[in-house]
Amino acid sequence: MLGKERIRAVFEQVLAISPADQTEVLFLGEDSGLTRFANSHIHQNVAQNNAELRVRVVFGKKIGVASTNDLSVESIKRVVESAITIAKLQRENPDFVSLPAPAPVPQVTGYAPRTASFTPEARAKAAGLVCRKAVENKLIASGAFYTGANELAVANSLGVFAYHPSTVAELNTVIMSDSSAGYADAVSLDAQEIDPEAVAAEAVDKALRSRNPTGLEPGEYEVILEEYAVFDILEFLAYLGFSALAVQEGRSFMKLGQKVVGDNISIWDDGFSPGGLPLPFDFEGVPRQKVPLIDKGVAVGLVYDSYTAGKEGKASTGHALPAPNTYGPMPVNLWMGTGQSDKEEMLKSTKRGIWVTRFHYTRPIHPLKVIVTGMTRDGTFLVENGEIVGPIKNLRFTQSYLEALASVELIGAQTKLERGPMGGSRVPALKVSRFNFSGATEF
Amino acid sequence: MRELIERVLNTAQVRGASYADVRVVRRQSQSIVVKNGNVEALSIAEDQGFGVRVIANGAWGFAASSLLAASEADRVAALAVQIARASATVKSRDLDIGPGTPVTGRYRTAVEIDPFGVPIETKIALLLGADEAMRKVKEIKVAESSMELFRELKTFASTEGSFIEQEIIESGGGIEATAVGNDDVQKRSYPNSFGRQQGTAGYEFIEAMDLVGNAERMAAEAAQLLWAKQCPASVTTLILGPTQLALQVHESCGHPIELDRVFGTEASYAGTSFLTTEKLGSFRYGSEIVNITADATIPGGLGTFGYDDEGVPAQRVPIVRNGIFVGYLTSRETAGVLGQSSNGAARADGWNRIPLIRMTNINLEPGEWEFEDLIADTDEGIYMELNKSWSIDDKRLNFQFGTEIAQEISHGKLGPLLKNATYTGITPQFWGSCDAICNARHRNIWGTPNCGKGQPPQAAHVGHGTAPARFRHVQVGVMK
C-alpha cells in the first residue's frame, strides 16, 4: 500500500509536468495473496504487489493514454511523454466533451485492516480446514482463498482528487466425490468474517447429496436458482445492456420506459451500500450515483461515464471504466430486490423441476434477447412434488435471461454477496417457472 | 539485472528453499482502436516486475513485485519461502520436479518489420481505411478496427544454474462490423473474431491481412445477416471453417490435454478433464484421420517461443495419432508423475503469475481434400465459420458453439447466409465423426490471445493450425 499522500505526490508530479489542456492520472494498487488447493492439499500459493499509473492527456479533442508500473521519476516523465506523443498523433474525437470536474465524494468504508494483514499462514489454516472436512467425509477438496488490499486513486487537472483504499476476501470451494461435486463460497471485505467451516459444510453437504446422479431428458422445467446462478444472470444483464453506450449503439435490450422483465424484478447499482463491496467513485474520479436500472420490471435507467453522458448532454453517473475503453461504462455494484420467500418454500412449491446450484461457462448467443448458453454444475437435483428426489447429471441450457426474469414466481428474502471483476453484487435466490435445458452431458 | 537475480536466488536459498527460480519480465504494448471514424483508444503500456518461485519444506511458494530494487528482492524472496512453508502445512507429499539440467540460451522472435518501429500514423491510417470501408454499408452501426502490438523481454534463472533470455514479439489486428436493423444485431469479423488475429511476428503480419480490402465485404455480410434465415435445427453434416475449427480444437482438445487440469488443479475453477491418465495410448479420441500435434516451434504461431517458464526448450509433440490419444501437455512436476520429462508447456502470464500448463500451438494436421471438392462431395449439410459463442462443460465433453455465419449445403453447393447458427456435441463422438480434412493449402495458424486459466486469472497467447473439416451426424441448432 502506497498510501494517500504518497499517491498524491506522484499525481502532483504528473500534473506539474504535463503541458496538455487536460490531464488525468489513475492509480491502481494491489497487494494480494491467493492460496489454491486441489486434491485436498495446497498446490499453488502466491502473492503480488503491483502499482499501475495510467496517464490520460487531452489536447483539444485529441486524447492519448499511456501506463506504467514503474513509479521512478524517469518512468513517470516517460509515461507523460508517451501519452502526449500519441495524443498529438490522434484525430480529434468530436464526441469528447471534457474530463470531469471535481465533485464531493461521500466517504464510505471499504477497508478492513484485518484483511490487509491477513497472512499466508492464516489462508493456509482456512484451506487446511476445508481440506480436512472433505477428507473426513471421504471427499476431495479444491478451491481458493483470496485476500487483497487495493488502492484506487484518481486526479485530474480540473481539480479532481479521489482516493479509496479497499479490501476483499473470498473463499470458494468445490468438494468432489467420484461421481459428484458441491460448491460454496463466501465473500467479505473482512477476511476474518469468512467462516471456512460453514463454506466447507455447505459444499460437503452438496457433494454427498449429489452422488450417483441419474440422467434427465432435456426440456423445459421449473427451476430453483441458488444465488450463485442468479449472480450470473445479473452479470450478463450488466455486460450486455445496462451501459449507456450499449443503448447508444443499439446493442442493448434496455428500452427505457418499457417493460423488459417481470413486475417483481427490480435491479439497481449502488456503490455506497455497506452490505456490498463499496466503491465510492469511478475510474474518472466521479462519485457513483445510485442508479435504478429496472424498476418493477420496467427499464428505467442506464449507467454513464463522462464520454457517454457528454454525447447526450447529461451528467456522468460515475460508472466509467479505466481509459481507454471502447466498451463503455459498467455497473459493478448491482443489487436485485428481494421478495419474501426462501429456498425451502421454493422447493415446496415446485411440482417437477430442477434445483440449480450454479452455472458454468455461460456465453451469450443473442445479445438483444440476452439468450445465454451454459451448463449446470456442482449440485443439480431433480425436484418432484415439493421434494428433492435425487441428483441428476449436469444439463446444458439455452435460455433468454430476460424471459427467465419474466417468469419469476418466488424471490428470496435474503441476499448473498458475490464478487465480480471490479465490485460486488448482492442477489437473492429465485424460483423460475420456465427454463429451457437444451442438452445433457455424461456426468 | 544479474545482480538482482542472484540476490533473489541467494536469499531464497538462505531462507531455506531447496529450489528457486526467478523471472524478470518487461512488457511493452501498443493498442489502437478505431471506432466509427474516431481513434477511440490509443495507448502505450509498459509493465515490469519479477516473480520468485520456490520449493521449501516440499511445497510451492511464489511472490512477485513490480519494484525492481535490491531491498524488494530480499523481501519478495523471503516472502516466497514463507508462503511455501505455509503451503507445506497442507500438503499430501513432498513435491518432486525431477532432475534439473542447467539450460542457458537466448531466443528472439524472427520478424521482418519491427512493429514498434512503424509510425503510429501509418497504423492509424490503415485502421481508418478499414473503418471507412465498413461504414459504406448503411446498416453498420458500429465499425471497429484494432491493432495490438506486444513485446516481452524475459530473463529466467534458477538455482539449478539455468539462465535464459527471450524476446517475444507479437503483432495482431482485426476488424468488426456490427449491423443493426430488422430488430436484430449481427456482427462480422475478420480475420478472426473477438478483436483480432495475432501471431509471433512483425508488422508484416498485419500488412498481409489486407484489413482494408476485406472491410466492405465483412460489412455487407453483417447487413445481409440481419435479414438472413435462421439456421434450422437438425442432425446433419457439418463442415467447419478454419477459425471455428481452431476454437473447436482449443476447447475440446487443447484444454483437456493440460496434465495439471487432468490432475485436478483447476477443479474449483474451469474444471477438470475427461482425458484421464488411464486413457493415454489407447483411448479413441477421434476418427482415424484425426491427427493433432502440439508444436511450440512453428514460425509465426502465437504459441511459439524458445523456452517455457521452467527453462524447458520448446518442442513438437504428438497428441492424437490416427485418432488415438497419445500425449499430454506437461510441466516438470506433472510429467514426473507419468514417468516422463516435461515437454515444455509451463508458461506464466507475466512477472506476477506462476507458470501453469498452457497450450502451445495445438494443430489439427492437414488432410488431403481441396475445400471446393469437400463442398461438392457433400449432399446436404451446413457450413459454419468464425466463432461467436462458446461453452463447454467442466470435463470438456458437452460443448455448444455458435458461429457468425453459416451456409446451407445442398447437392454439393453452398447456399445463402444463415444466421444464429449453433452446433452441439460430445467431444469424442464429435471428433469420431470427422471424415474429411482439407489439405495444407487451406491451413493457417490462428492466434488466440485470450486463453483464460488459473486463479488469479492468466491470459495465455496460444495458436491453432487448422484447415476446414467435415463432421457427420451433428446436432445443429438448439433443441426446444
Side-chain angles (χ1 to χ4, degrees), chain A residues 42-307:
Chain A
I42 293 174
H43 67 302
Q44 293 168 11
N45 205 349
V46 303
Q48 67 158 329
N49 184 16
N50 195 10
E52 182 189 337
L53 196 66
R54 205 176 283 211
V55 176
R56 175 160 61 154
V57 298
V58 182
F59 290 92
K61 288 179 180 287
K62 295 181 173 183
I63 303 162
V65 178
S67 67
T68 182
N69 68 347
D70 175 359
L71 302 186
S72 65
V73 173
E74 302 74 36
S75 170
I76 289 171
K77 274 187 192 159
R78 198 167 60 243
V79 76
V80 173
E81 281 162 12
S82 293
I84 291 167
T85 302
I86 54 186
K88 288 187 171 171
L89 291 168
Q90 275 272 30
R91 295 190 355 161
E92 295 211 333
N93 187 334
D95 292 327
F96 177 79
V97 178
S98 171
L99 293 178
V105 178
Q107 290 296 306
V108 62
T109 302
Y111 183 84
R114 297 193 301 188
T115 305
S117 60
F118 213 69
T119 62
E121 290 80 6
R123 282 195 306 275
K125 190 177 167 191
L129 190 148
V130 176
C131 292
R132 270 199 310 282
K133 290 283 175 196
V135 171
E136 282 167 15
N137 287 280
K138 298 187 170 49
L139 300 166
I140 298 166
S142 61
F145 194 176
Y146 171 87
T147 55
N150 302 295
E151 291 177 294
L152 168 64
V154 192
N156 73 28
S157 54
L158 303 177
V160 164
F161 178 81
Y163 171 80
H164 179 68
S166 64
T167 54
V168 63
E170 178 181 7
L171 172 63
N172 62 57
T173 186
V174 172
I175 307 267
M176 296 178 294
S177 74
D178 285 349
S179 64
S180 68
Y183 178 81
D185 72 32
V187 178
S188 173
L189 59 85
D190 184 348
Q192 297 286 5
E193 286 184 2
I194 301 273
D195 180 354
E197 197 137 356
V199 172
E202 182 183 335
V204 164
D205 173 60
K206 278 269 172 60
L208 291 174
R209 288 195 291 116
S210 60
R211 282 179 298 188
N212 304 316
T214 55
L216 183 72
E217 275 301 300
E220 199 169 81
Y221 290 89
E222 296 176 78
V223 285
I224 296 159
L225 302 178
E226 288 203 48
E227 295 88 342
Y228 307 119
V230 177
F231 177 58
D232 190 79
I233 293 177
L234 217 52
E235 289 275 282
F236 267 102
L237 296 183
Y239 169 62
L240 295 174
F242 289 154
S243 148
L245 188 64
V247 172
Q248 288 168 1
E249 292 179 348
R251 55 180 166 84
S252 168
F253 61 89
M254 289 287 279
K255 293 182 170 51
L256 293 183
Q258 291 187 22
K259 198 165 167 196
V260 289
V261 293
D263 294 343
N264 53 357
I265 300 296
S266 291
I267 298 167
W268 63 92
D269 186 83
D270 185 357
F272 287 93
S273 194
L277 297 174
L279 202 56
F281 56 88
D282 69 4
F283 295 91
E284 295 181 315
V286 176
R288 292 182 184 277
Q289 307 297 310
K290 181 175 176 179
V291 180
L293 299 158
I294 292 176
D295 185 41
K296 297 186 180 73
V298 176
V300 293
L302 302 167
V303 295
Y304 289 84
D305 53 15
S306 64
Y307 183 76

Side-chain angles (χ1 to χ4, degrees), chain A residues 353-376:
Chain A
I354 295 171
W355 178 299
V356 176
T357 297
R358 69 168 179 149
F359 294 149
H360 168 79
Y361 222 128
T362 45
R363 292 288 184 275
I365 57 176
H366 196 301
L368 268 185
K369 295 177 181 170
V370 197
I371 297 174
V372 174
T373 188
M375 300 294 301
T376 65

Side-chain angles (χ1 to χ4, degrees), chain B residues 237-282:
Chain B
T237 295
L238 175 68
I239 294 178
L240 292 180
T243 61
Q244 177 56 31
L245 203 46
L247 184 279
Q248 180 76 48
V249 170
H250 182 95
E251 298 292 349
S252 68
C253 181
H255 280 303
I257 60 170
E258 298 160 348
L259 191 52
D260 54 356
R261 183 183 302 283
V262 173
F263 289 155
T265 61
E266 297 294 320
S268 67
Y269 193 51
T272 58
S273 169
F274 73 97
L275 284 173
T276 42
T277 52
E278 80 283 357
K279 295 186 174 77
L280 185 64
S282 61

Side-chain angles (χ1 to χ4, degrees), chain A residues 323-402:
Chain A
N325 100 79
T326 57
Y327 203 77
M330 194 65 64
V332 296
N333 300 93
L334 287 165
W335 296 67
M336 181 181 275
T338 53
Q340 293 173 338
S341 186
D342 58 28
K343 283 179 253 185
E344 192 60 29
E345 185 190 8
M346 293 178 194
L347 184 62
K348 285 194 174 124
S349 72
T350 301
K351 190 156 189 294
R352 189 159 194 270
I354 295 171
W355 178 299
V356 176
T357 297
R358 69 168 179 149
F359 294 149
H360 168 79
Y361 222 128
T362 45
R363 292 288 184 275
I365 57 176
H366 196 301
L368 268 185
K369 295 177 181 170
V370 197
I371 297 174
V372 174
T373 188
M375 300 294 301
T376 65
R377 188 180 165 181
D378 301 331
T380 310
F381 301 92
L382 177 65
V383 179
E384 284 181 347
N385 301 317
E387 288 182 357
I388 288 178
V389 294
I392 54 172
K393 292 180 181 176
N394 287 303
L395 293 166
R396 171 169 296 286
F397 66 90
T398 304
Q399 170 68 46
S400 161
Y401 279 174
L402 293 177

